[in-house]
């Protein structure tokens, strides 16, 4: 209700405020709130009073204030032009921003109004830039710090924002907000460069990974059957990208006409581009198993899925309708027709504001799209970019001794998983304390990452065809995602998926030969 009221009061010209800070500022100044005070000077002082009052209450950790404290704040901002304290109190109450609770107690209209007022006061302080990172370590100050980032243009510098998002002591949502502001001012990590023919691309920062014998799978209390038996695979030296591929990077491929040039695509990808193709036997069997898993007890299936995945009501109703009305054959035929029978020229969630931030990982891309992007960037730059193999991915993440990229002990604050409650992919780099010792970020959580490898049981054999790209079949993704439970963000955990599936938690990371 509060936000509906805010939008009603602030969108009289039909334009939404540019950001959350501007929304709160326009709301507080709206005609039915501070705008009720006709005298401009008195209105200005009333706004300053609101801000200093909110600042004091925020520092006290309180949502209420007594009359003596209120009078002290009214006095503090009165300045050389005298006015009656009772008159200012009356004016603020008339705006609705100050609420009398009885028995000499007051509060502001809403906690969010208090947080906005404190943020506006913080933004006016000369040492705002120095205070904010310390305040942002406390959850109580989270919203104030986020609003201050939007309210004070002097904070909107790339170096300052990168410092915030890379500071593990800062509250997660403040780090995310800093990354979102960074997209507005220009993320220096995502600068396009012109190559031959005027083609623009963004090359990712890479980390050298030494050669070694990668240990895959093995005993673990949370291990799944496909992680057994433990095996060792020789891995040559290579390089792996610091971050998964972002929307800004993938936009270069889209803008360059990558979807129209079939030379970058595998044979299966070309068929998918044209809306042709047919289900390979392995994928068809996967769909049949899926139908058999939910159709006998659809409510039980929905309940189980909701324990580990973000299944919304519409998707749940879809399962119910299919279970009630379709046969197994109809399900396989319809699913295949839906995926294979449509032409695609951009990622599935490309226009969804929840997923399309410039420095968020690109999602809604299938294996064919990931492979095509890698082939395109390799041609543009001449540097051999590709998807990593499953063995390379686990070697880089685990290095044989780590359960998680950061070490052996689980820490829920080091990655974006279901328990983080962000409910979307995070901008890259906001989990600095979740990186490997080599400096690889977000190998756990955020988005699943396609590998080049076909899904095959262990022991892993490089000679058994699992790394072929000209064969259709299920492909392996690694790393877990933003709505997956902790057991799936372990370095050894494996996920198989149909190569033309485009999920909102699936992206990819690039590898290239060692230089």
């Amino acid at each position: 209700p509060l936000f509906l009221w805010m939008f009603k009061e602030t969108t009289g010209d039909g334009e939404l405020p540019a950001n959350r800070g501007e929304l709160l500022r326009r709301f507080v100044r709206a005609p039915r709130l501070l705008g009720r005070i006709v005298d401009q000077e008195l209105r200005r002082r009333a706004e300053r009073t609101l801000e200093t009052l909110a600042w004091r209450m925020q520092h006290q950790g309180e949502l209420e204030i007594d009359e003596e404290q209120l009078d002290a704040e009214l006095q503090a901002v009165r300045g050389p032009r005298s006015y009656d304290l009772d008159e200012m109190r009356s004016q603020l109450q008339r705006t609705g921003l100050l609420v009398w609770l009885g028995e000499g107690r007051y509060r502001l209209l809403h906690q969010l109004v208090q947080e906005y007022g404190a943020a506006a006061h913080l933004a006016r302080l000369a040492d705002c830039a120095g205070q904010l990172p310390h305040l942002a370590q406390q959850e109580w100050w989270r919203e104030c710090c986020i609003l201050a980032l939007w309210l004070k243009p002097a904070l909107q510098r790339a170096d300052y924002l990168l410092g915030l998002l890379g500071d593990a002591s800062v509250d997660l949502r403040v780090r995310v907000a800093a990354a979102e502001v960074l997209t507005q001012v220009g993320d220096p990590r995502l600068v396009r460069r012109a190559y031959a023919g005027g083609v623009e691309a963004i090359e990712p920062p890479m980390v050298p990974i030494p050669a070694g014998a990668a240990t895959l799978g093995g005993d673990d209390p949370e291990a799944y059957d496909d992680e057994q038996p433990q095996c060792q695979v020789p891995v040559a030296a290579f390089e792996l990208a610091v971050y998964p591929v972002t929307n800004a990077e993938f936009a270069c491929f889209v803008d360059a006409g990558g979807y129209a040039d079939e030379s970058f695509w595998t044979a299966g990808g070309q068929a998918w581009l044209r809306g042709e193709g047919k289900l390979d036997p392995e994928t068809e069997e996967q769909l049949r198993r899926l139908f058999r898993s939910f159709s006998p007890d659809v409510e039980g299936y929905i309940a189980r899925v909701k324990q580990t995945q973000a299944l919304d009501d519409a998707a749940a109703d879809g399962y119910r309708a299919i279970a009630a009305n379709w046969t197994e054959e109809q399900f396989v035929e319809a699913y295949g027709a839906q995926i294979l029978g449509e032409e695609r020229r951009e990622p599935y969630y490309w226009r969804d504001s929840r997923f399309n931030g410039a420095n968020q990982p690109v999602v809604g891309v299938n294996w064919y799209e990931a492979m095509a992007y890698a082939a395109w960037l390799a041609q543009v730059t001449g540097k051999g970019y590709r998807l990593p193999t499953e063995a390379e991915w686990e070697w880089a993440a685990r290095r044989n001794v780590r359960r998680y990229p950061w070490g052996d002990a689980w820490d829920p604050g080091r990655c974006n998983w279901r328990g983080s409650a962000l409910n979307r992919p995070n901008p890259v780099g906001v989990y600095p304390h979740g990186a490997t010792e080599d400096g690889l970020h977000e190998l756990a959580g955020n988005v699943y990452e396609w590998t080049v490898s076909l899904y095959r049981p262990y022991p892993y054999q490089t000679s058994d065809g699992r790394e072929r790209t000209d064969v259709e079949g299920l492909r392996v993704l690694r790393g877990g995602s933003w709505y997956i439970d902790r057991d799936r963000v372990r370095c050894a955990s494996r996920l198989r998926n149909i190569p033309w599936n485009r999920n909102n938690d699936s992206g990819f990371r690039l590898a290239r030969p060692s230089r």
Side-chain angles (χ1 to χ4, degrees):
L2 177 65
F3 275 101
L4 289 175
W5 183 19
M6 286 183 183
F7 287 129
K8 178 177 180 295
E9 295 294 336
T10 59
T11 55
D13 58 359
E15 293 292 328
L16 287 173
N19 55 65
R20 192 180 182 93
E22 184 62 23
L23 171 65
L24 267 295
R25 177 158 50 196
R26 284 169 59 173
F27 174 71
V28 166
R29 294 177 177 178
R32 298 191 198 189
L33 287 99
L34 276 178
R36 287 176 177 268
I37 302 176
V38 177
D39 183 274
Q40 291 186 4
E41 177 62 19
L42 186 60
R43 186 192 311 151
R44 186 186 69 81
R45 292 185 181 278
E47 186 169 3
R48 297 296 180 273
T49 301
L50 175 73
E51 293 170 3
T52 56
L53 180 59
W55 177 253
R56 174 166 181 164
M57 294 170 71
Q58 197 69 18
H59 264 291
Q60 292 175 337
E62 301 287 348
L63 296 176
E64 297 180 11
I65 193 170
D66 63 33
E67 194 156 17
E68 181 179 349
Q69 293 171 320
L70 175 60
D71 283 348
E73 296 307 319
L74 296 177
Q75 178 72 33
V77 296
R78 182 164 57 173
R81 177 179 172 181
S82 178
Y83 54 74
D84 183 82
L85 299 186
D86 290 337
E87 170 66 13
M88 177 55 76
R89 185 189 305 112
S90 175
Q91 291 283 3
L92 285 172
Q93 286 184 256
R94 193 163 70 89
T95 66
L97 293 168
L98 179 66
V99 179
W100 182 58
L101 301 175
E103 299 181 355
R105 303 290 295 177
Y106 295 83
R107 65 170 173 82
L108 298 183
L109 173 63
H110 190 275
Q111 181 175 352
L112 191 56
V113 171
Q114 176 175 316
E115 291 167 331
Y116 161 76
H121 183 91
L122 174 61
R124 296 183 190 282
L125 297 179
D127 63 341
C128 172
Q131 285 203 42
L132 191 146
H134 300 288
L135 294 173
Q137 295 175 22
Q138 307 167 50
E139 183 179 348
W140 172 253
W141 283 93
R142 170 196 296 163
E143 187 64 27
C144 294
C145 293
I146 292 173
L147 292 171
L149 288 174
W150 289 113
L151 293 171
K152 191 174 181 67
L155 301 179
Q156 297 169 8
R157 307 188 321 266
D159 59 338
Y160 184 78
L161 296 168
L162 283 170
L164 273 182
L165 71 88
D167 184 348
S169 67
V170 169
D171 180 90
L172 168 61
R173 282 164 178 76
V174 179
R175 302 198 306 264
V176 171
E180 291 171 343
V181 177
L182 187 61
T183 65
Q184 303 299 313
V185 302
D187 191 328
R189 300 170 298 176
L190 302 172
V191 177
R192 290 190 177 198
R193 174 185 168 191
Y195 291 84
V199 176
E200 293 184 333
I202 301 171
E203 288 196 68
M206 307 294 287
V207 169
I209 306 298
T215 298
L216 308 187
D219 294 331
D220 188 295
E222 296 179 339
Y224 289 82
D225 291 343
D226 63 356
E227 298 172 34
Q228 304 289 347
Q230 187 178 86
C231 51
Q232 283 200 329
V233 182
V235 173
F238 69 105
E239 295 182 1
L240 192 63
V242 171
Y243 307 116
V245 173
T246 62
N247 287 304
E249 293 168 89
F250 202 86
C252 299
F253 174 71
V254 175
D255 294 345
Y259 281 88
D261 188 341
E262 291 191 358
S263 67
F264 301 121
W265 299 75
T266 65
Q270 292 173 12
W272 175 80
L273 276 177
R274 296 191 295 265
E276 301 170 355
K278 63 180 181 179
L279 299 180
D280 60 274
E282 191 175 41
T283 299
E284 181 176 329
E285 179 56 30
Q286 180 84 350
L287 290 174
R288 292 186 184 280
R289 286 199 298 266
L290 174 61
F291 183 84
R292 294 165 193 163
S293 68
F294 72 78
S295 58
D297 178 15
V298 68
E299 296 302 329
Y301 177 84
I302 290 170
R304 291 192 299 274
V305 170
K306 285 185 174 181
Q307 291 176 1
T308 58
Q309 298 181 19
L311 186 71
D312 59 29
D313 292 341
D317 287 343
Y319 280 116
R320 294 185 181 104
I322 292 170
N325 301 300
W326 289 15
T327 65
E328 182 177 312
E329 294 301 325
Q330 289 172 325
F331 173 72
V332 172
E333 181 179 350
Y335 199 99
Q338 175 188 355
I339 300 300
L340 296 174
E342 297 180 6
E343 288 191 348
R344 302 295 174 93
R345 290 297 180 267
E346 62 187 25
Y348 190 80
Y349 297 94
W350 197 238
R351 301 178 189 276
D352 189 326
S353 60
R354 186 180 167 198
F355 301 103
N356 66 4
N359 54 18
Q360 282 180 294
V362 63
V363 296
V365 286
N366 61 29
W367 184 80
Y368 300 131
E369 290 166 291
M371 289 287 290
Y373 176 85
W376 170 81
L377 189 63
Q379 183 183 94
V380 168
T381 64
K383 293 183 180 178
Y385 289 104
R386 58 178 175 79
L387 295 189
T389 67
E390 184 180 10
E392 287 175 331
W393 193 100
E394 187 166 338
W395 171 241
R398 187 180 182 190
R399 206 61 61 80
N400 293 353
V401 297
R402 301 187 292 253
R403 195 168 186 235
Y404 304 99
W406 57 83
D408 199 47
W410 167 245
D411 184 339
R414 290 180 183 261
C415 67
N416 183 10
W417 63 296
R418 194 178 186 217
S420 304
L422 286 181
N423 297 318
R424 59 192 169 100
N426 60 263
V428 297
V430 303
Y431 283 96
H433 48 321
T436 67
E437 59 187 19
D438 300 312
L440 296 168
H441 288 245
E442 287 139 36
L443 285 168
N446 207 13
V447 294
Y448 270 115
E449 300 177 5
W450 288 106
T451 70
V452 73
S453 303
L454 287 159
Y455 180 78
R456 295 288 185 267
Y458 285 173
Y460 192 108
Q461 301 287 337
T462 57
S463 59
D464 65 3
R466 70 178 66 211
E467 294 173 7
R468 291 181 60 178
T469 61
D470 60 344
V471 175
E472 292 300 304
L474 303 178
R475 298 285 169 171
V476 176
L477 298 101
R478 288 302 201 102
S481 78
W482 54 270
Y483 69 55
I484 294 299
D485 277 335
R486 55 173 285 184
D487 62 323
R488 284 296 191 183
V489 302
R490 293 175 299 105
C491 295
S493 178
R494 313 171 72 200
L495 180 74
R496 61 182 182 271
N497 207 343
I498 301 164
W500 33 260
N501 259 4
R502 312 168 94 200
N503 298 329
N504 63 12
D505 71 334
S506 298
F508 63 101
R509 182 185 306 252
L510 294 176
R512 74 182 180 196
S514 183
R515 289 184 291 180

